[in-house]
Amino acid sequence: MAMYLAVLDAVRSDLDEGADAEAVLIKLKEAGLSQVECIRAVVDLGLSSRSEAKKLVHFSRAWSSTRIQSEKLHERLEDLADESGELE
């Protein structure tokens, strides 16, 4: 948790200097935050609402290399839920 807070403090300085959300996401990822932690950070930094943070991170350049993998995972989870009847 201490590392997360330290990273947030660092990117707050960047935001104060005019950095955009994409630059912040790149810095968060480079600092070692996971995609889920980046979503939380976007909300904690006030860059987006919780409902929009996932989209912002998911479709960012910073996380573009994992987008296809994440989409396949979500599709598979939906398929498994459909097969088990949990969505009905």
Side-chain angles (χ1 to χ4, degrees):
M1 184 63 146
M3 191 263 307
Y4 174 81
L5 295 175
V7 172
L8 256 58
D9 285 342
V11 296
R12 278 190 182 102
S13 297
D14 294 342
L15 286 168
D16 290 343
E17 294 174 9
D20 63 4
E22 187 64 45
V24 168
L25 287 171
I26 290 168
K27 191 161 189 175
L28 293 172
K29 185 177 180 192
E30 287 175 349
L33 269 61
S34 69
Q35 195 171 20
V36 171
E37 289 170 321
C38 285
I39 293 168
R40 178 178 174 199
V42 164
V43 174
D44 290 346
L45 291 167
L47 295 175
S48 176
S49 67
R50 184 172 301 229
S51 62
E52 292 297 316
K54 182 179 174 185
K55 290 178 196 171
L56 180 67
V57 172
H58 185 70
F59 291 106
S60 69
R61 284 190 321 248
W63 288 97
S64 64
S65 64
T66 62
R67 184 176 307 127
I68 292 172
Q69 180 182 4
S70 295
E71 288 173 356
K72 286 181 182 179
L73 173 64
H74 290 185
E75 287 172 9
R76 183 66 182 133
L77 288 172
E78 288 176 5
D79 291 344
L80 289 172
D82 287 343
E83 290 170 10
S84 69
E86 291 181 17
L87 294 180
E88 296 176 357

